[in-house]
Amino acid sequence: MSSVQSVLTPKPPKVPKSGRAARAQDPATGKPKAAGSARRREIWAAYGFISPWIIGFVVFTAGPMLASLVLSFTDYDAIGSTHNVGFANYQQLFEDPQVAKSLMNTLIFAVLRVPLAMAFALVLAMLLLKVGRTAGFFRTVFYLPVMTPPVAVGILFLLLFNGNVGLINHVLGFFGIEGPSWTTDSFWVKPGLVLTSLWSVGSTVVIYFAALRNVPKDLYEAAELDGASRWTSFRHVTLPQISGTLFFTLIVNTIASLQTFTEAYTAFFGTATTQSYSSDAALFYVVYLFQQAFQYMHMGYASALAWLLFLVILVITIIQAKVSKRFVYYEGDQR
């Protein structure tokens, strides 16, 4: 009876959709189109926002990289006609003794600077944690030297580390220590440049300060309850918690050290007077690349030098990334 009644009972007529609801219906699939169109609009809006970066990357980074790769197989000198020379420029890299010398100087500088800069920045960042409300002021003070032009830092190096009238040797003499000839003794040129580079560790200090503030305090409290000393807490709590930040600054500082140029060039190659110093000890890789490109106009050879540096940095970064898996802790790791 109920089935007969359900058949005899008329069903209410379907009300046709109108307006946006009707237009949103896809006649082929029957699915609404409003969500898909809205998503497409969001995607195009996102591309619009990042388009300035994409254009800048293509024009100022990817484009010049491809152009330098092409030029590395030519004898381009920006003046005469250009000819294809094949792998002659890359073969010359292994025959030029200045390449090995400048690369070794750069690697020594990086090995000296990176750990020293990271340790110095970490000490300053930990001191910032102790100053309380004035941390913002000192954080600004530490960061201000980063904004100093590198050319000024190169001149500052000559003023501070001059063997005869430099401030550093005067301070050492006050304690009865005879200071070395920082700018003329090839053994002390790179250490002097490393010490000068510590002037601009402010950005690393700010990064470490933010990482240290994010370390959970209950971990320190638990370590204190277990009788851990300050050194033990630092080693087993602080360092693992900020290891990701340390790894990031390791890569950034390594790349920056391998590309060092302005301070050394200003101090030792900028004028005829400074070139009379022990410039061979300060002949860093990018300095030699700059000389080949803009002093001798060997643009093709300089392009090959640039790609060799790119490969060196790439290999070092890959090694650092592989080694970091054993020492870097990330929250949520299942290890």
Side-chain angles (χ1 to χ4, degrees), residues 2 51 56 129 148 273:
S2 59
S51 59
L129 290 176
T148 306
T273 303

Side-chain angles (χ1 to χ4, degrees), residues 160-225:
L160 292 177
F161 290 88
N162 186 284
N164 298 321
V165 297
L167 179 62
I168 300 299
N169 281 0
H170 275 297
V171 173
L172 293 176
F174 180 78
F175 294 98
I177 302 175
E178 184 179 355
S181 300
W182 300 93
T183 57
T184 56
D185 189 341
S186 59
F187 180 81
W188 289 101
V189 166
K190 283 185 281 293
L193 289 171
V194 169
L195 294 176
T196 306
S197 69
L198 298 181
W199 170 265
S200 58
V201 297
S203 57
T204 308
V205 173
V206 173
I207 294 173
Y208 286 165
F209 180 65
L212 290 171
R213 293 186 63 180
N214 287 331
V215 177
K217 296 185 180 299
D218 54 353
L219 296 180
Y220 291 114
E221 295 172 357
E224 186 177 357
L225 291 175

Side-chain angles (χ1 to χ4, degrees), residues 2 7 32 41 57-58 272 305 310 323:
S2 59
V7 172
R41 287 196 298 270
F57 174 77
V58 172
L305 286 168
F310 173 77
V323 175

